[in-house]
Amino acid sequence: MAAPNDFVSEVHTVEKFDVKTNTIDSQKGSDVEIGESDLITAGSAHLQRKLGGKQVQLFAIGASIGTVVFVSMGSQLPISGPAGLFLAFAIWSMVAYGVNECFAEMVCYAPVPAPFIRFSGEWVDDALGFTQSWVFFFNQVLLIPFEMTAFHRLIGFWTDKLPVEATVFILIFLYCLTNCVSVGWYGQAEFYLSIGKVILIFLCFGFTIVTMLGGNPLHDRYGFRYWDNPGAFAEYLTGGSTGRFLGFLSSLTFATFTVAGPEFIAMVAAETKSPRRILPAAYKSFPFRLLFFFCGSALAVGICIPYNDPTLNAILNGEAGGSGTSAASPYVIAMQRLQISGLPHFFNAVIMTSVFSAGNGYVFTSSRTLYSMALEGRAPKIFTKTLRSGVPIYSVLACIAFCLLALLNVSDNSAKVMNYFVDLVTTNQLLNYMTTCITYVHFYYAMKRQGRSRDSLPYKGIFQPYTAYICIFMTFLMTLLLGFYIFFPGQWDLKFFFLDYTFLVLYPIAFFGWKWAKKTKYHRLGTADLSLGGDVKEIDDYEELTEVKPLTGISGWMERIFGGVYDKKNN
């Protein structure tokens, strides 16, 4: 088997450029020559550019798709009904696409470590960068124990004999193995894990299409039967049209947690070879991921079972076992109803690899965020330490320490623990998206007022800056509406009030506190320094001194299929 570095992007350097001396060294003879280390780390602050197109593309899929798409989405079906669930995901996917356009244009222009966090600090206000960095860090690091909790509950599909502690420490060992050795090892592991996830999604779609047309042991051609009976919309909290709207709104808030992706591409920008060639392809594929993975899943689960399915409701109400396992998946419930044996066990096993992949991705993104924060002086300097392989080792270990939060399952119900993490993370995710769109507005006007054409950028977002304005409004609105249900009679819960709104209060406190302590300066629209202290020029030189090799053999074929990368070089 080839070593992980054999699988990196098909790019090599013609000559070696020393960014410190601005000289070219064509000296040959050793594996690591003068200037080579500078070239591989160009604009990446000692991280190493080793990831290829297929790894970046599959990482974006792997980190954003976990147990929610396969299992938890079914929990919204009794609340909103199939049409309400599908509409919620369709509408929020349009907002997510707008956010993607803001990320893509800035990140492809300056693929530096934790780019959107650095942009907000240097292009808007250092206090905003400080606040966003910690918001995003907690967003990612709290998802690690969330996925670990989900993994343990999936084991419960077969047995409840395995203690929580065993699951936690086994996963900690595996996360260390994939994240502490080399980014090449990490990229290769995520590539194959994410392929399995994509295959599973298409198997779910195939199952839905075949069985709804009568291809099942009962020969039941059920089609869209459940959209007619019991109906397309369910009622939530109250009856009538108001109840149906509230059901839709509940699923919309759920979609804000589930639909993600552009930030994960951004987090590997500094470790991507020839980023201005590879990253645009990854961002351009995001609308298709939205359509097939999120909207497609929301449609499929509403076809498989009715929203009043007795098995699903018994599991969700605690009257039957299996909550949080694949037994609660609409697909598994449909398999059992249609008397299809064997598939539920296979389905549960593949979902477990999906959940592991998502948790693994969160370790990566949270550690890179912490590393970038330390570089900017927003976290202790010890987290800037990297191994010779480019792995920020102390940042990785600090993030893996958060895995211990999964031990909360020992003293509390795992379903409750998962809900705690979901509420905390959703607020942070929305605040991060809102901040990135605000940063984009400053980037847009800096380009315009400094006489730089956006047509020259590696990626040009659509309908800007109006897309950014719409996304700022929608993300802020949904942040306010996250806990809407607790304000209805009989629904008040102080615990979930704090879970939903604590970070909304801490956000301005952190911003003004850092601004006061550091006396930071706000950069007015159009005045941002787009050079990022010379890092953009460094990346320009790196891209200029790389030559694209023809994509040949199996590796080249995989780059085209999975990475969307071709021989042509973006200029």
Side-chain angles (χ1 to χ4, degrees):
M1 179 178 177
N5 287 349
D6 293 339
F7 292 89
V8 298
S9 175
E10 300 295 328
V11 177
H12 73 280
T13 58
V14 182
E15 296 171 302
K16 300 173 181 59
F17 180 77
D18 191 325
V19 296
K20 295 180 180 178
T21 62
N22 291 321
T23 60
I24 295 175
D25 187 351
S26 57
Q27 184 178 354
K28 301 184 181 296
S30 63
D31 291 336
V32 180
E33 302 178 20
I34 299 173
E36 186 172 6
S37 62
D38 286 332
L39 187 56
I40 199 173
T41 62
S44 64
H46 303 295
L47 301 177
Q48 295 184 6
R49 298 191 179 277
K50 294 183 176 181
L51 297 178
K54 61 183 184 292
Q55 293 155 325
V56 172
Q57 193 78 261
L58 270 296
F59 169 72
I61 295 173
S64 60
I65 299 176
T67 183
V68 174
V69 171
F70 301 109
V71 179
S72 303
M73 193 178 285
S75 66
Q76 287 296 308
L77 200 55
I79 295 175
S80 62
L85 182 64
F86 176 71
L87 283 175
F89 272 82
I91 290 173
W92 191 252
S93 290
M94 289 189 287
V95 177
Y97 177 55
V99 173
N100 176 77
E101 294 299 278
C102 295
F103 270 96
E105 190 168 318
M106 295 189 295
V107 172
C108 293
Y109 165 74
V112 296
F116 52 94
I117 293 172
R118 184 173 175 188
F119 299 159
S120 60
E122 296 204 20
W123 294 344
V124 185
D125 192 312
D126 187 60
L128 188 64
F130 169 81
T131 307
Q132 184 182 20
S133 61
W134 281 103
V135 162
F136 183 70
F137 172 72
F138 281 115
N139 175 29
Q140 297 299 291
V141 84
L142 290 176
L143 282 169
I144 303 171
F146 170 82
E147 296 295 347
M148 296 176 77
T149 301
F151 192 91
H152 181 73
R153 297 182 74 187
L154 288 168
I155 295 175
F157 181 76
W158 294 304
T159 179
D160 59 0
K161 303 298 183 183
L162 186 69
V164 173
E165 297 90 338
T167 302
V168 170
F169 286 107
I170 288 172
L171 289 175
I172 286 176
F173 170 75
L174 293 174
Y175 289 155
C176 286
L177 188 65
T178 54
N179 283 273
C180 293
V181 179
S182 165
V183 69
W185 281 101
Y186 169 81
Q188 197 63 12
E190 274 302 296
F191 174 69
Y192 288 111
L193 286 169
S194 298
I195 286 179
K197 192 174 298 189
V198 173
I199 292 173
L200 178 60
I201 287 180
F202 281 100
L203 285 176
C204 291
F205 292 167
F207 165 81
T208 303
I209 294 170
V210 171
T211 58
M212 71 184 290
L213 295 177
N216 57 75
L218 301 181
H219 304 292
D220 181 12
R221 192 180 179 91
Y222 59 90
F224 282 85
R225 175 192 302 163
Y226 304 126
W227 287 55
D228 180 57
N229 182 24
F233 291 91
E235 297 174 351
Y236 179 56
L237 297 177
T238 187
S241 57
T242 302
R244 289 189 287 273
F245 173 76
L246 293 176
F248 157 78
L249 183 58
S250 176
S251 287
L252 188 62
T253 61
F254 181 78
T256 63
F257 165 73
T258 307
V259 179
E263 66 270 37
F264 299 120
I265 302 175
M267 291 309 297
V268 298
E271 293 168 87
T272 302
K273 278 202 167 186
S274 192
R276 289 178 180 162
R277 174 173 170 256
I278 289 173
L279 295 179
Y283 277 114
K284 287 175 183 176
S285 70
F286 185 67
F288 301 101
R289 292 202 296 275
L290 289 172
L291 179 63
F292 288 107
F293 299 152
F294 296 114
C295 295
S297 295
L299 179 62
V301 299
I303 293 174
C304 289
I305 61 174
Y307 71 73
N308 62 353
D309 183 89
T311 302
L312 177 63
N313 282 285
I315 293 174
L316 296 177
N317 295 331
E319 299 169 3
S323 176
T325 73
S326 63
S329 169
Y331 301 109
V332 172
I333 294 173
M335 291 171 191
Q336 294 171 339
R337 179 181 65 83
L338 297 170
Q339 300 177 12
I340 301 174
S341 60
L343 275 182
H345 296 280
F346 169 78
F347 188 80
N348 194 71
V350 180
I351 289 179
M352 289 179 69
T353 66
S354 171
V355 172
F356 172 78
S357 170
N360 198 38
Y362 297 136
V363 172
F364 181 92
T365 55
S366 58
S367 64
R368 271 41 178 192
T369 303
L370 185 57
Y371 173 76
S372 178
M373 290 161 60
L375 289 176
E376 299 294 326
R378 299 164 187 157
K381 284 295 182 184
I382 190 173
F383 295 121
T384 62
K385 172 68 176 177
T386 60
L387 300 178
R388 292 184 64 184
S389 60
V391 174
I393 185 63
Y394 292 127
S395 294
V396 172
L397 293 177
C399 295
I400 287 178
F402 278 82
C403 294
L404 298 175
L405 287 175
L407 294 174
L408 287 171
N409 292 298
V410 174
S411 59
D412 207 343
N413 180 278
S414 59
K416 292 182 180 179
V417 173
M418 290 183 73
N419 286 333
Y420 300 159
F421 289 131
V422 167
D423 280 62
L424 284 171
V425 164
T426 304
T427 305
N428 288 352
Q429 183 162 295
L430 288 169
L431 289 173
N432 178 57
Y433 284 173
M434 181 183 71
T435 305
T436 299
C437 293
I438 291 172
T439 303
Y440 176 81
V441 172
H442 285 73
F443 171 77
Y444 175 89
Y445 283 105
M447 290 286 293
K448 184 176 182 180
R449 294 180 184 178
Q450 293 173 26
R452 304 180 62 174
S453 172
R454 291 173 58 236
D455 293 329
S456 65
L457 297 175
Y459 188 106
K460 182 180 178 181
I462 62 171
F463 307 130
Q464 295 289 16
Y466 308 107
T467 299
Y469 290 139
I470 293 171
C471 292
I472 292 170
F473 171 77
M474 289 298 298
T475 50
F476 180 69
L477 176 65
M478 292 310 300
T479 303
L480 297 178
L481 293 175
L482 280 179
F484 77 93
Y485 58 92
I486 63 177
F487 298 105
F488 280 79
Q491 300 296 320
W492 175 256
D493 190 317
L494 184 62
K495 181 190 299 181
F496 280 97
F497 173 79
F498 281 106
L499 288 171
D500 285 323
Y501 295 110
T502 293
F503 277 101
L504 185 60
V505 175
L506 291 178
Y507 189 89
I509 292 176
F511 175 84
F512 288 109
W514 188 261
K515 190 170 184 64
W516 175 80
K518 298 295 183 178
K519 303 296 187 291
T520 63
K521 178 183 177 182
Y522 168 70
H523 301 286
R524 297 189 306 276
L525 289 176
T527 63
D529 175 15
L530 298 179
S531 71
L532 292 176
D535 281 355
V536 173
K537 177 63 167 61
E538 190 173 309
I539 296 167
D540 290 341
D541 293 332
Y542 164 77
E543 293 282 359
E544 183 68 25
L545 295 172
T546 58
E547 181 186 26
V548 179
K549 288 177 62 177
L551 299 175
T552 58
I554 295 177
S555 180
W557 177 82
M558 294 176 80
E559 283 286 348
R560 291 188 181 94
I561 298 298
F562 295 106
V565 178
Y566 298 88
D567 294 337
K568 182 179 178 181
K569 183 175 178 180
N570 291 338
N571 295 316

